[in-house]
Amino acid sequence: MTRILPAGERAFLVDLDSEADVLAFTEALTRNTPVGVEDFLPAARTVLVTCTQAADLTYVRKCLNDLEQTNSAATTDEHSETDALTIAVRYDGPDLDDVAQSLGMSRSEVVAAHTGAMWRCAFIGFAPGFAYLTSGDTRLDVPRRTQSRTAVPAGSVALAAGYSAIYPRASPGGWQIIGSTDAVMWDLNATPPAAVQPGCRVRFVNEDDR
């Protein structure tokens, strides 16, 4: 059951039932942003909606409730594959062999599954520009490493808990690294700074095939 909860003096936390609901609600909110909404931030199961100082909070809450009530959990795909951000990857990650072994797949099968899926940004978290990418293919659902690395290079392409992600900058991390890319995921001089936004579609391609 969806709940719309107050969060501080001028924000609401929309608590949804599933990741699919979050994606659908975020798309609906993007298309029909109520007057008075300043920003919204999706997470795994919630969307934080922040209002302006002058917003009519009663009105905004009603709009959010109406959006949720009329929104289907099945997200509509209004974008073709040509709208997806294409990211070239070198599948040279130190965890690729372990990932393949744990999944009962070969290295090439892991790469084929990763490049064959259409990924979609569910939310941003952990670090600026760190996009949690999800797909309908569950074959690459692997756990985090039992021991995190103290330093993961920027551009590392990784898997964990059903998500794929690219480390936007060097940082500690416990995801399974399967490759690397030269794509810039976070640039303060860009608008917006994050290359991938919630709802954005991403297609990975094997650099060796280009």
Side-chain angles (χ1 to χ4, degrees):
M1 178 181 295
T2 300
R3 297 185 299 166
I4 301 177
L5 307 171
E9 295 182 352
R10 57 184 187 97
F12 295 102
L13 188 68
V14 184
D15 187 359
L16 296 146
D17 291 332
S18 69
E19 185 177 273
D21 290 333
V22 170
L23 285 166
F25 184 79
T26 300
E27 283 198 353
L29 192 55
T30 300
R31 292 193 303 266
N32 300 287
T33 306
V35 174
V37 170
E38 185 174 59
D39 193 18
F40 48 91
L41 181 66
R45 294 292 183 272
T46 61
V47 179
L48 179 65
V49 180
T50 305
C51 302
T52 63
Q53 291 285 356
D56 181 339
L57 298 183
T58 301
Y59 168 79
V60 171
R61 181 166 189 157
K62 180 183 183 302
C63 290
L64 296 177
N65 185 68
D66 290 345
L67 275 177
E68 193 281 325
Q69 292 294 325
T70 59
N71 193 42
S72 169
T75 59
T76 56
D77 191 352
E78 298 178 349
H79 306 277
S80 68
E81 292 197 12
T82 58
D83 295 316
L85 175 65
T86 300
I87 296 178
V89 178
R90 295 177 294 274
Y91 287 93
D92 55 4
D95 298 319
L96 182 55
D97 286 332
D98 289 341
V99 166
Q101 183 176 7
S102 68
L103 295 175
M105 302 168 71
S106 67
R107 287 172 61 104
S108 60
E109 287 173 333
V110 172
V111 173
H114 195 247
T115 56
M118 176 63 76
W119 297 88
R120 191 176 181 193
C121 178
F123 57 95
I124 305 291
F126 174 61
F130 191 99
Y132 285 71
L133 306 176
T134 184
S135 77
D137 190 342
T138 60
R139 289 178 297 166
L140 297 180
D141 189 350
V142 293
R144 291 169 55 92
R145 288 171 48 87
T146 55
Q147 184 173 359
S148 296
R149 292 182 169 92
T150 57
V152 176
S156 294
V157 180
L159 299 169
Y163 296 102
S164 187
I166 301 171
Y167 282 77
R169 60 184 180 185
S171 67
W175 288 39
Q176 308 274 4
I177 302 172
I178 63 170
S180 59
T181 181
D182 294 327
V184 177
M185 306 308 296
W186 178 258
D187 181 2
L188 284 174
N189 295 319
T191 303
V196 177
Q197 299 291 313
C200 178
R201 288 157 176 78
V202 174
R203 174 75 79 183
F204 293 105
V205 296
N206 189 348
E207 195 169 275
D208 290 341
D209 295 339
R210 300 183 73 182

